[in-house]
Amino acid sequence: LYPEQYKEIIHSAVSAQPYSAEDIVTIAVQKGITQCESIVEAAIRAEPSYVSFVATAAANASPEDFDDILRVAVMTEPDSADKIVQLMAKSYPEKIAEILSNTIKHVPLVGEYIVDALLAIFPNKAEEVVSVAVRESSLQREQIQRIISTALDAGVNVEDVTRFATMGGATVDEITAGVNSAPSQQDKQQIPQH
């Protein structure tokens, strides 16, 4: 093999056959031509629209590199973070909190989009999704309001959102601002005070 040329080989293969991106990544990871995250990055740069499939294929081929694969995928293609998270969560539903936490840690301004994507496929996981998203957004306090608003617009009731956001560390002011900014709440009462 030609380890110094692996990026060009992966890039050429994925560019020529984008529908085979999953197979190309799986084979490259299984053959161990280089570190898994380098393979993922090369494949994503070759065909960004297949980022979710590339990340999932790599995670399936090398589960021990899951966190690094997710990090590289969302950092290489942050505009697709919601799609990446959604597909990874479908493939690994037991890792929703880990997926959410790592994604927001590495691409903090996508919290609201990720919450929306996850609640669309896992409405029964609202507690975990909202509380983890709020907790991981503690350094981006303005994101907390948008996360709360997004959860409400996804159909989570105001009492639950208030409880989940509080569990994640949101302040009463942040929760109030999030509830008041949610389009679904414009004509409804203010949040209940505990």
Short mmCIF file of all heavy atoms in Angstrom, two decimals, residues 126-188:
data_model
loop_
_atom_site.label_atom_id
_atom_site.label_comp_id
_atom_site.label_asym_id
_atom_site.label_seq_id
_atom_site.Cartn_x
_atom_site.Cartn_y
_atom_site.Cartn_z
N ALA A 126 -36.97 13.26 24.64
CA ALA A 126 -36.89 14.71 24.84
C ALA A 126 -36.12 15.08 26.10
O ALA A 126 -35.33 16.03 26.09
CB ALA A 126 -38.30 15.31 24.88
N GLU A 127 -36.33 14.35 27.19
CA GLU A 127 -35.62 14.68 28.43
C GLU A 127 -34.11 14.62 28.22
O GLU A 127 -33.39 15.55 28.56
CB GLU A 127 -36.03 13.72 29.55
CG GLU A 127 -35.28 13.97 30.86
CD GLU A 127 -35.74 13.06 31.98
OE1 GLU A 127 -36.78 12.39 31.86
OE2 GLU A 127 -35.04 13.02 33.00
N GLU A 128 -33.64 13.53 27.66
CA GLU A 128 -32.21 13.35 27.43
C GLU A 128 -31.68 14.40 26.44
O GLU A 128 -30.65 15.03 26.68
CB GLU A 128 -31.96 11.94 26.89
CG GLU A 128 -30.53 11.59 26.66
CD GLU A 128 -30.36 10.14 26.21
OE1 GLU A 128 -31.32 9.53 25.68
OE2 GLU A 128 -29.26 9.63 26.40
N VAL A 129 -32.39 14.60 25.35
CA VAL A 129 -31.94 15.52 24.31
C VAL A 129 -31.85 16.95 24.84
O VAL A 129 -30.83 17.63 24.69
CB VAL A 129 -32.86 15.44 23.07
CG1 VAL A 129 -32.56 16.55 22.08
CG2 VAL A 129 -32.71 14.08 22.39
N VAL A 130 -32.92 17.44 25.46
CA VAL A 130 -32.94 18.83 25.93
C VAL A 130 -31.95 19.05 27.07
O VAL A 130 -31.17 20.01 27.05
CB VAL A 130 -34.37 19.25 26.34
CG1 VAL A 130 -34.37 20.64 26.98
CG2 VAL A 130 -35.30 19.22 25.14
N SER A 131 -31.93 18.17 28.06
CA SER A 131 -31.03 18.39 29.20
C SER A 131 -29.56 18.32 28.78
O SER A 131 -28.75 19.14 29.21
CB SER A 131 -31.34 17.43 30.35
OG SER A 131 -31.16 16.09 29.96
N VAL A 132 -29.21 17.37 27.92
CA VAL A 132 -27.82 17.28 27.46
C VAL A 132 -27.46 18.49 26.60
O VAL A 132 -26.38 19.08 26.76
CB VAL A 132 -27.57 15.95 26.69
CG1 VAL A 132 -26.21 15.97 26.00
CG2 VAL A 132 -27.65 14.76 27.64
N ALA A 133 -28.35 18.88 25.69
CA ALA A 133 -28.07 20.04 24.83
C ALA A 133 -27.87 21.31 25.65
O ALA A 133 -26.95 22.09 25.39
CB ALA A 133 -29.19 20.22 23.81
N VAL A 134 -28.70 21.52 26.64
CA VAL A 134 -28.56 22.70 27.50
C VAL A 134 -27.26 22.63 28.28
O VAL A 134 -26.49 23.61 28.33
CB VAL A 134 -29.78 22.85 28.44
CG1 VAL A 134 -29.52 23.88 29.53
CG2 VAL A 134 -31.03 23.22 27.64
N ARG A 135 -26.97 21.49 28.87
CA ARG A 135 -25.73 21.33 29.64
C ARG A 135 -24.50 21.58 28.77
O ARG A 135 -23.58 22.30 29.16
CB ARG A 135 -25.65 19.94 30.27
CG ARG A 135 -24.40 19.75 31.15
CD ARG A 135 -24.27 18.35 31.71
NE ARG A 135 -23.95 17.42 30.62
CZ ARG A 135 -24.67 16.35 30.31
NH1 ARG A 135 -25.75 16.04 30.99
NH2 ARG A 135 -24.32 15.58 29.30
N GLU A 136 -24.48 21.02 27.58
CA GLU A 136 -23.32 21.17 26.70
C GLU A 136 -23.21 22.57 26.10
O GLU A 136 -22.16 22.94 25.60
CB GLU A 136 -23.34 20.12 25.60
CG GLU A 136 -23.13 18.72 26.11
CD GLU A 136 -21.83 18.53 26.86
OE1 GLU A 136 -20.80 19.14 26.50
OE2 GLU A 136 -21.84 17.75 27.84
N SER A 137 -24.27 23.34 26.17
CA SER A 137 -24.26 24.70 25.64
C SER A 137 -23.95 25.74 26.72
O SER A 137 -24.12 26.93 26.50
CB SER A 137 -25.61 25.02 24.98
OG SER A 137 -25.82 24.17 23.89
N SER A 138 -23.48 25.29 27.86
CA SER A 138 -23.26 26.21 28.98
C SER A 138 -22.28 27.33 28.65
O SER A 138 -22.37 28.41 29.22
CB SER A 138 -22.80 25.45 30.23
OG SER A 138 -21.53 24.86 29.99
N LEU A 139 -21.37 27.12 27.72
CA LEU A 139 -20.43 28.16 27.33
C LEU A 139 -21.00 29.05 26.23
O LEU A 139 -20.43 30.08 25.90
CB LEU A 139 -19.10 27.56 26.89
CG LEU A 139 -18.35 26.79 27.97
CD1 LEU A 139 -17.07 26.17 27.39
CD2 LEU A 139 -18.03 27.69 29.15
N GLN A 140 -22.11 28.63 25.65
CA GLN A 140 -22.79 29.39 24.60
C GLN A 140 -24.21 29.69 25.09
O GLN A 140 -25.18 29.14 24.58
CB GLN A 140 -22.84 28.57 23.30
CG GLN A 140 -21.51 28.17 22.75
CD GLN A 140 -20.79 29.34 22.11
OE1 GLN A 140 -21.42 30.24 21.55
NE2 GLN A 140 -19.48 29.35 22.19
N ARG A 141 -24.32 30.53 26.09
CA ARG A 141 -25.60 30.73 26.78
C ARG A 141 -26.72 31.16 25.82
O ARG A 141 -27.88 30.81 26.03
CB ARG A 141 -25.46 31.76 27.91
CG ARG A 141 -24.46 31.40 29.01
CD ARG A 141 -24.61 30.02 29.59
NE ARG A 141 -25.77 29.85 30.42
CZ ARG A 141 -25.99 28.80 31.18
NH1 ARG A 141 -25.11 27.83 31.25
NH2 ARG A 141 -27.08 28.69 31.89
N GLU A 142 -26.40 31.90 24.76
CA GLU A 142 -27.44 32.32 23.82
C GLU A 142 -28.06 31.13 23.09
O GLU A 142 -29.19 31.20 22.64
CB GLU A 142 -26.92 33.36 22.83
CG GLU A 142 -25.87 32.86 21.85
CD GLU A 142 -24.45 32.78 22.40
OE1 GLU A 142 -24.19 33.15 23.55
OE2 GLU A 142 -23.59 32.29 21.64
N GLN A 143 -27.32 30.04 23.00
CA GLN A 143 -27.85 28.84 22.35
C GLN A 143 -28.96 28.19 23.19
O GLN A 143 -29.85 27.56 22.64
CB GLN A 143 -26.74 27.79 22.15
CG GLN A 143 -25.98 27.95 20.88
CD GLN A 143 -26.80 27.54 19.68
OE1 GLN A 143 -28.03 27.57 19.64
NE2 GLN A 143 -26.10 27.15 18.65
N ILE A 144 -28.88 28.33 24.48
CA ILE A 144 -29.86 27.70 25.37
C ILE A 144 -31.28 28.16 25.04
O ILE A 144 -32.20 27.35 24.96
CB ILE A 144 -29.50 27.93 26.85
CG1 ILE A 144 -28.19 27.19 27.16
CG2 ILE A 144 -30.63 27.50 27.78
CD1 ILE A 144 -27.62 27.46 28.52
N GLN A 145 -31.45 29.44 24.83
CA GLN A 145 -32.77 29.98 24.47
C GLN A 145 -33.26 29.34 23.18
O GLN A 145 -34.42 28.94 23.08
CB GLN A 145 -32.68 31.49 24.30
CG GLN A 145 -33.95 32.13 23.79
CD GLN A 145 -33.80 33.63 23.59
OE1 GLN A 145 -33.01 34.28 24.26
NE2 GLN A 145 -34.57 34.18 22.67
N ARG A 146 -32.40 29.22 22.19
CA ARG A 146 -32.79 28.62 20.91
C ARG A 146 -33.10 27.13 21.05
O ARG A 146 -33.99 26.61 20.38
CB ARG A 146 -31.72 28.89 19.86
CG ARG A 146 -31.65 30.37 19.47
CD ARG A 146 -30.82 30.61 18.24
NE ARG A 146 -29.41 30.44 18.45
CZ ARG A 146 -28.57 31.40 18.84
NH1 ARG A 146 -29.05 32.62 19.06
NH2 ARG A 146 -27.30 31.17 18.99
N ILE A 147 -32.37 26.44 21.90
CA ILE A 147 -32.63 25.01 22.14
C ILE A 147 -34.01 24.83 22.77
O ILE A 147 -34.78 23.97 22.37
CB ILE A 147 -31.51 24.40 23.03
CG1 ILE A 147 -30.21 24.30 22.21
CG2 ILE A 147 -31.93 23.05 23.60
CD1 ILE A 147 -28.98 24.02 23.05
N ILE A 148 -34.32 25.65 23.75
CA ILE A 148 -35.63 25.59 24.42
C ILE A 148 -36.75 25.89 23.42
O ILE A 148 -37.74 25.17 23.34
CB ILE A 148 -35.66 26.56 25.62
CG1 ILE A 148 -34.71 26.06 26.71
CG2 ILE A 148 -37.09 26.76 26.15
CD1 ILE A 148 -34.40 27.07 27.79
N SER A 149 -36.58 26.93 22.63
CA SER A 149 -37.57 27.30 21.62
C SER A 149 -37.76 26.17 20.61
O SER A 149 -38.89 25.82 20.25
CB SER A 149 -37.11 28.59 20.92
OG SER A 149 -37.99 28.93 19.89
N THR A 150 -36.66 25.55 20.19
CA THR A 150 -36.72 24.45 19.22
C THR A 150 -37.47 23.25 19.80
O THR A 150 -38.28 22.63 19.12
CB THR A 150 -35.29 24.04 18.79
OG1 THR A 150 -34.68 25.17 18.16
CG2 THR A 150 -35.31 22.87 17.84
N ALA A 151 -37.19 22.92 21.05
CA ALA A 151 -37.87 21.79 21.70
C ALA A 151 -39.37 22.04 21.78
O ALA A 151 -40.17 21.13 21.52
CB ALA A 151 -37.29 21.55 23.08
N LEU A 152 -39.75 23.25 22.10
CA LEU A 152 -41.18 23.58 22.16
C LEU A 152 -41.82 23.47 20.79
O LEU A 152 -42.92 22.91 20.64
CB LEU A 152 -41.38 24.99 22.73
CG LEU A 152 -41.05 25.15 24.21
CD1 LEU A 152 -40.94 26.61 24.58
CD2 LEU A 152 -42.08 24.43 25.07
N ASP A 153 -41.14 23.96 19.77
CA ASP A 153 -41.68 23.89 18.41
C ASP A 153 -41.73 22.45 17.89
O ASP A 153 -42.50 22.15 16.98
CB ASP A 153 -40.88 24.78 17.47
CG ASP A 153 -41.14 26.25 17.73
OD1 ASP A 153 -42.19 26.58 18.33
OD2 ASP A 153 -40.29 27.08 17.35
N ALA A 154 -40.91 21.58 18.49
CA ALA A 154 -40.93 20.16 18.10
C ALA A 154 -42.05 19.40 18.79
O ALA A 154 -42.24 18.22 18.55
CB ALA A 154 -39.59 19.51 18.42
N GLY A 155 -42.78 20.10 19.68
CA GLY A 155 -43.94 19.47 20.30
C GLY A 155 -43.77 19.06 21.75
O GLY A 155 -44.69 18.49 22.34
N VAL A 156 -42.62 19.34 22.34
CA VAL A 156 -42.43 19.03 23.76
C VAL A 156 -43.18 20.10 24.56
O VAL A 156 -43.06 21.29 24.27
CB VAL A 156 -40.93 19.02 24.14
CG1 VAL A 156 -40.74 18.64 25.60
CG2 VAL A 156 -40.15 18.07 23.23
N ASN A 157 -43.97 19.68 25.54
CA ASN A 157 -44.77 20.67 26.27
C ASN A 157 -43.89 21.55 27.17
O ASN A 157 -42.80 21.18 27.56
CB ASN A 157 -45.93 20.01 27.03
CG ASN A 157 -45.48 19.22 28.23
OD1 ASN A 157 -44.77 19.72 29.10
ND2 ASN A 157 -45.89 17.95 28.28
N VAL A 158 -44.41 22.71 27.49
CA VAL A 158 -43.65 23.73 28.20
C VAL A 158 -43.19 23.26 29.59
O VAL A 158 -42.09 23.57 30.02
CB VAL A 158 -44.42 25.07 28.25
CG1 VAL A 158 -45.62 24.98 29.18
CG2 VAL A 158 -43.52 26.21 28.63
N GLU A 159 -44.03 22.50 30.28
CA GLU A 159 -43.65 22.02 31.61
C GLU A 159 -42.45 21.07 31.52
O GLU A 159 -41.51 21.15 32.32
CB GLU A 159 -44.82 21.32 32.31
CG GLU A 159 -45.96 22.24 32.70
CD GLU A 159 -46.91 22.54 31.53
OE1 GLU A 159 -46.84 21.86 30.48
OE2 GLU A 159 -47.70 23.49 31.67
N ASP A 160 -42.49 20.18 30.54
CA ASP A 160 -41.37 19.24 30.37
C ASP A 160 -40.11 19.97 29.94
O ASP A 160 -39.02 19.70 30.46
CB ASP A 160 -41.73 18.14 29.36
CG ASP A 160 -42.70 17.12 29.92
OD1 ASP A 160 -42.88 17.06 31.16
OD2 ASP A 160 -43.29 16.37 29.12
N VAL A 161 -40.23 20.88 28.99
CA VAL A 161 -39.06 21.64 28.55
C VAL A 161 -38.46 22.39 29.72
O VAL A 161 -37.23 22.42 29.90
CB VAL A 161 -39.39 22.59 27.37
CG1 VAL A 161 -38.24 23.54 27.09
CG2 VAL A 161 -39.74 21.81 26.13
N THR A 162 -39.30 23.00 30.53
CA THR A 162 -38.81 23.73 31.71
C THR A 162 -38.04 22.80 32.63
O THR A 162 -36.93 23.11 33.07
CB THR A 162 -39.99 24.37 32.46
OG1 THR A 162 -40.66 25.28 31.58
CG2 THR A 162 -39.53 25.10 33.70
N ARG A 163 -38.59 21.64 32.88
CA ARG A 163 -37.93 20.67 33.77
C ARG A 163 -36.63 20.17 33.17
O ARG A 163 -35.59 20.13 33.83
CB ARG A 163 -38.90 19.51 34.06
CG ARG A 163 -38.40 18.52 35.09
CD ARG A 163 -39.51 17.58 35.59
NE ARG A 163 -40.48 17.18 34.59
CZ ARG A 163 -40.35 16.08 33.83
NH1 ARG A 163 -39.33 15.29 33.96
NH2 ARG A 163 -41.29 15.78 32.94
N PHE A 164 -36.65 19.80 31.89
CA PHE A 164 -35.45 19.27 31.24
C PHE A 164 -34.35 20.32 31.14
O PHE A 164 -33.18 20.02 31.36
CB PHE A 164 -35.78 18.75 29.84
CG PHE A 164 -36.88 17.72 29.78
CD1 PHE A 164 -37.59 17.53 28.61
CD2 PHE A 164 -37.20 16.93 30.88
CE1 PHE A 164 -38.60 16.58 28.52
CE2 PHE A 164 -38.21 15.98 30.81
CZ PHE A 164 -38.91 15.81 29.63
N ALA A 165 -34.73 21.55 30.81
CA ALA A 165 -33.74 22.63 30.69
C ALA A 165 -33.14 22.94 32.07
O ALA A 165 -31.94 23.19 32.18
CB ALA A 165 -34.38 23.87 30.08
N THR A 166 -33.96 22.90 33.10
CA THR A 166 -33.46 23.11 34.46
C THR A 166 -32.47 22.02 34.84
O THR A 166 -31.41 22.29 35.42
CB THR A 166 -34.63 23.16 35.47
OG1 THR A 166 -35.52 24.22 35.08
CG2 THR A 166 -34.15 23.39 36.89
N MET A 167 -32.78 20.78 34.48
CA MET A 167 -31.86 19.66 34.74
C MET A 167 -30.53 19.88 34.04
O MET A 167 -29.47 19.48 34.55
CB MET A 167 -32.47 18.34 34.25
CG MET A 167 -33.64 17.86 35.07
SD MET A 167 -34.57 16.48 34.31
CE MET A 167 -33.31 15.39 33.73
N GLY A 168 -30.55 20.52 32.89
CA GLY A 168 -29.33 20.79 32.14
C GLY A 168 -28.58 22.01 32.61
O GLY A 168 -27.48 22.28 32.14
N GLY A 169 -29.19 22.78 33.51
CA GLY A 169 -28.49 23.94 34.07
C GLY A 169 -28.97 25.29 33.58
O GLY A 169 -28.34 26.31 33.86
N ALA A 170 -30.09 25.34 32.88
CA ALA A 170 -30.61 26.62 32.40
C ALA A 170 -31.18 27.43 33.55
O ALA A 170 -31.74 26.88 34.50
CB ALA A 170 -31.69 26.40 31.35
N THR A 171 -31.02 28.72 33.47
CA THR A 171 -31.58 29.61 34.48
C THR A 171 -33.05 29.91 34.15
O THR A 171 -33.50 29.68 33.02
CB THR A 171 -30.82 30.95 34.53
OG1 THR A 171 -31.04 31.64 33.29
CG2 THR A 171 -29.33 30.74 34.76
N VAL A 172 -33.77 30.44 35.11
CA VAL A 172 -35.17 30.81 34.90
C VAL A 172 -35.26 31.86 33.79
O VAL A 172 -36.15 31.79 32.93
CB VAL A 172 -35.81 31.34 36.21
CG1 VAL A 172 -37.19 31.93 35.95
CG2 VAL A 172 -35.88 30.23 37.24
N ASP A 173 -34.34 32.82 33.77
CA ASP A 173 -34.36 33.84 32.72
C ASP A 173 -34.14 33.23 31.34
O ASP A 173 -34.79 33.64 30.37
CB ASP A 173 -33.29 34.91 32.99
CG ASP A 173 -33.63 35.79 34.19
OD1 ASP A 173 -34.81 35.83 34.59
OD2 ASP A 173 -32.70 36.44 34.71
N GLU A 174 -33.24 32.27 31.23
CA GLU A 174 -32.98 31.62 29.94
C GLU A 174 -34.20 30.83 29.49
O GLU A 174 -34.58 30.85 28.31
CB GLU A 174 -31.76 30.70 30.03
CG GLU A 174 -30.46 31.47 30.17
CD GLU A 174 -29.28 30.61 30.58
OE1 GLU A 174 -29.48 29.55 31.24
OE2 GLU A 174 -28.15 31.00 30.26
N ILE A 175 -34.81 30.14 30.43
CA ILE A 175 -36.01 29.35 30.10
C ILE A 175 -37.14 30.28 29.67
O ILE A 175 -37.80 30.04 28.65
CB ILE A 175 -36.43 28.46 31.29
CG1 ILE A 175 -35.33 27.41 31.55
CG2 ILE A 175 -37.77 27.80 31.02
CD1 ILE A 175 -35.50 26.66 32.85
N THR A 176 -37.35 31.35 30.41
CA THR A 176 -38.40 32.31 30.07
C THR A 176 -38.17 32.89 28.68
O THR A 176 -39.10 32.96 27.87
CB THR A 176 -38.47 33.43 31.13
OG1 THR A 176 -38.72 32.85 32.41
CG2 THR A 176 -39.55 34.44 30.80
N ALA A 177 -36.94 33.28 28.40
CA ALA A 177 -36.62 33.85 27.09
C ALA A 177 -36.85 32.82 25.99
O ALA A 177 -37.38 33.15 24.92
CB ALA A 177 -35.18 34.35 27.07
N GLY A 178 -36.47 31.57 26.23
CA GLY A 178 -36.66 30.52 25.24
C GLY A 178 -38.13 30.25 24.98
O GLY A 178 -38.55 30.10 23.83
N VAL A 179 -38.91 30.19 26.04
CA VAL A 179 -40.35 29.95 25.89
C VAL A 179 -41.00 31.12 25.16
O VAL A 179 -41.80 30.93 24.24
CB VAL A 179 -41.01 29.72 27.27
CG1 VAL A 179 -42.53 29.73 27.15
CG2 VAL A 179 -40.52 28.42 27.89
N ASN A 180 -40.66 32.34 25.56
CA ASN A 180 -41.27 33.51 24.95
C ASN A 180 -40.87 33.70 23.49
O ASN A 180 -41.60 34.34 22.73
CB ASN A 180 -40.94 34.76 25.76
CG ASN A 180 -41.62 34.75 27.11
OD1 ASN A 180 -42.62 34.07 27.32
ND2 ASN A 180 -41.07 35.50 28.05
N SER A 181 -39.73 33.14 23.08
CA SER A 181 -39.30 33.30 21.68
C SER A 181 -39.79 32.18 20.77
O SER A 181 -39.66 32.28 19.56
CB SER A 181 -37.77 33.37 21.61
OG SER A 181 -37.20 32.12 21.94
N ALA A 182 -40.36 31.14 21.35
CA ALA A 182 -40.85 30.02 20.54
C ALA A 182 -42.12 30.42 19.80
O ALA A 182 -43.10 30.82 20.42
CB ALA A 182 -41.13 28.81 21.42
N PRO A 183 -42.11 30.31 18.47
CA PRO A 183 -43.32 30.66 17.72
C PRO A 183 -44.55 29.89 18.19
O PRO A 183 -45.65 30.42 18.19
CB PRO A 183 -42.96 30.27 16.28
CG PRO A 183 -41.47 30.40 16.22
CD PRO A 183 -41.00 29.96 17.59
N SER A 184 -44.37 28.66 18.63
CA SER A 184 -45.51 27.85 19.08
C SER A 184 -46.09 28.35 20.40
O SER A 184 -47.17 27.95 20.78
CB SER A 184 -45.08 26.39 19.24
OG SER A 184 -44.11 26.27 20.27
N GLN A 185 -45.38 29.23 21.06
CA GLN A 185 -45.82 29.70 22.38
C GLN A 185 -46.26 31.16 22.38
O GLN A 185 -46.59 31.71 23.43
CB GLN A 185 -44.68 29.54 23.40
CG GLN A 185 -44.22 28.12 23.59
CD GLN A 185 -45.31 27.24 24.16
OE1 GLN A 185 -45.91 27.55 25.17
NE2 GLN A 185 -45.57 26.14 23.47
N GLN A 186 -46.27 31.80 21.23
CA GLN A 186 -46.54 33.23 21.16
C GLN A 186 -47.87 33.63 21.80
O GLN A 186 -47.96 34.68 22.41
CB GLN A 186 -46.48 33.73 19.72
CG GLN A 186 -45.10 33.60 19.10
CD GLN A 186 -44.02 34.38 19.82
OE1 GLN A 186 -44.20 35.54 20.16
NE2 GLN A 186 -42.90 33.73 20.08
N ASP A 187 -48.89 32.81 21.67
CA ASP A 187 -50.20 33.18 22.20
C ASP A 187 -50.55 32.45 23.49
O ASP A 187 -51.67 32.54 23.96
CB ASP A 187 -51.29 32.88 21.16
CG ASP A 187 -51.08 33.72 19.91
OD1 ASP A 187 -50.62 34.87 20.02
OD2 ASP A 187 -51.37 33.20 18.81
N LYS A 188 -49.59 31.74 24.05
CA LYS A 188 -49.86 30.97 25.26
C LYS A 188 -49.32 31.67 26.50
O LYS A 188 -48.62 32.66 26.41
CB LYS A 188 -49.25 29.56 25.14
CG LYS A 188 -49.89 28.77 24.00
CD LYS A 188 -49.31 27.40 23.91
CE LYS A 188 -49.98 26.66 22.75
NZ LYS A 188 -49.46 25.33 22.60
#
